[in-house]
Amino acid sequence: MSMIKIVFVLALLLSASGLISPPFALLGGIIFGLATTAHPFNLASKRLAKFLLQASVVALGFGMNLHQVLEAGRSGFLYTAISITTVMFLGLGLGYLLSVGKKSAFLISAGTAICGGSAIAAVGPIAEASEEEMAVSLGAVFILNSVALFLFPVIGSAYHMTQSQFGLWSALAIHDTSSVVGATAKYGPTALAVGTTVKLARALWIVPLSLVTAVTLKSKARIQWPWFILFFCVAALLNTALPAFAPAFRILDRLGKIGLTVTLFLIGTGLNKETLKQVGVRPLLQGLILWIIVGTATLALILFHWIAV
């Protein structure tokens, strides 16, 4: 086994040990990705990261109360409906002004509005986006997503945000579910519960967006349904209805957090020098401006108590 493979396996085991936090796992993955010329397990890492993310979210449901999930989800569904519509129009407008390709601009807008890489992966085939357009959009969203995981807890602490406020803000303004969970887990258990629930309510909009895209473009590509969100709710139901199994559910919740840490490490290893070159300035600028607008606007709305859970 080559030295690069050995380093990757050791870092993966460290991520799964429970000894490091999700942000540091992501940072370690990014360092590995940028330091190597070729990922030794690139395809396998992507597949494992996708599975682990969904499995970890379901496992985290065993640490949450269904009543809290439903309350946060009900509020979050309305907020996400408004924000997604606004962000899509803003994103497409910015893409036009910055002369970003139409499909790349659409994918970056969808990733920012809904659920990062998951949204891009879902609507990309329907929009008949090329591999290059997919790579550019995923790269732009991922770079900003990584920054958010480190930046948001710092801003939240600086503004003395409550855990509920921070969870809502993270869910509305961070792209990927993995980084929402990573940031809120660092901030506190209530932030984690609110952030995960509202984020999953936001992720449900993948389906309507996919349907609208398919109808508009007359595409026959298969629509991906986020079934893991249903399983997350079932896990929360079991945790609420069966308190006798609390010790077992705590173990599953712990495994979910470890799985998320491993997921972030694997996602981080996918960022390399080639990805940075592919993204280019204009798509990244579109994503950055859109992300700043979303993050600043939602932060202001929460701090002025105009929206809350």
Side-chain angles (χ1 to χ4, degrees):
M1 184 180 288
S2 67
M3 182 57 68
I4 294 177
K5 290 182 178 179
I6 293 173
V7 171
F8 176 83
V9 172
L10 290 176
L12 184 65
L13 292 173
L14 179 61
S15 299
S17 68
L19 298 175
I20 61 174
S21 65
F24 282 104
L26 176 65
L27 179 61
I30 292 173
I31 292 172
F32 177 88
L34 294 176
T36 56
T37 54
H39 195 309
F41 306 105
N42 187 37
L43 184 58
S45 290
K46 289 179 179 177
R47 289 175 177 172
L48 180 59
K50 181 179 179 181
F51 168 78
L52 268 181
L53 173 58
Q54 296 182 355
S56 299
V57 168
V58 174
L60 288 172
F62 287 103
M64 299 185 186
N65 183 280
L66 182 63
H67 303 298
Q68 186 178 20
V69 167
L70 292 175
E71 181 61 30
R74 183 176 61 181
S75 302
F77 199 78
L78 175 61
Y79 299 148
T80 53
I82 297 171
S83 67
I84 286 167
T85 304
T86 305
V87 171
M88 286 300 299
F89 279 110
L90 279 174
L92 293 173
L94 279 170
Y96 175 78
L97 291 173
L98 295 169
S99 300
V100 178
K102 289 183 179 180
K103 290 184 181 178
S104 293
F106 172 71
L107 294 178
I108 291 171
S109 300
T112 304
I114 299 179
C115 177
S118 299
I120 293 172
V123 300
I126 298 172
E128 298 180 350
S130 66
E131 288 187 10
E132 182 180 17
E133 289 167 332
M134 292 281 287
V136 166
S137 306
L138 287 167
V141 167
F142 172 68
I143 291 168
L144 299 174
N145 206 45
S146 302
V147 173
L149 181 57
F150 295 97
L151 186 62
F152 270 53
V154 175
I155 295 175
S157 297
Y159 281 100
H160 306 289
M161 298 180 77
T162 66
Q163 288 195 33
S164 293
Q165 288 178 324
F166 183 78
L168 178 59
W169 182 45
S170 298
L172 294 177
I174 297 180
H175 304 88
D176 277 334
T177 303
S178 57
S179 287
V180 171
V181 177
T184 53
K186 183 178 180 181
Y187 208 80
T190 302
L192 174 62
V194 172
T196 303
T197 303
V198 176
K199 177 60 182 175
L200 294 182
R202 182 177 161 196
L204 285 172
W205 287 92
I206 288 177
V207 176
L209 180 63
S210 298
L211 288 170
V212 171
T213 304
V215 170
T216 303
L217 300 178
K218 298 179 181 179
S219 173
K220 296 181 179 179
R222 186 171 65 90
I223 294 173
Q224 300 179 25
W225 295 83
W227 292 109
F228 73 99
I229 299 176
L230 173 62
F231 298 142
F232 167 83
C233 294
V234 171
L237 171 63
L238 291 174
N239 181 53
T240 306
L242 302 173
F245 291 90
F249 293 154
R250 279 195 293 269
I251 293 174
L252 290 171
D253 178 50
R254 175 62 177 162
L255 289 174
K257 291 174 181 175
I258 292 175
L260 172 76
T261 305
V262 176
T263 300
L264 286 169
F265 169 74
L266 293 172
I267 291 174
T269 62
L271 180 63
N272 51 44
K273 296 173 184 176
E274 188 62 31
T275 303
L276 295 176
K277 289 179 183 178
Q278 276 188 319
V279 172
V281 175
R282 292 183 181 181
L284 185 59
L285 189 59
Q286 179 203 359
L288 177 61
I289 294 173
L290 187 58
W291 180 54
I292 290 174
I293 292 173
V294 173
T296 304
T298 51
L299 177 63
L301 289 171
I302 291 169
L303 290 178
F304 285 112
H305 304 287
W306 291 344
I307 60 174
V309 292

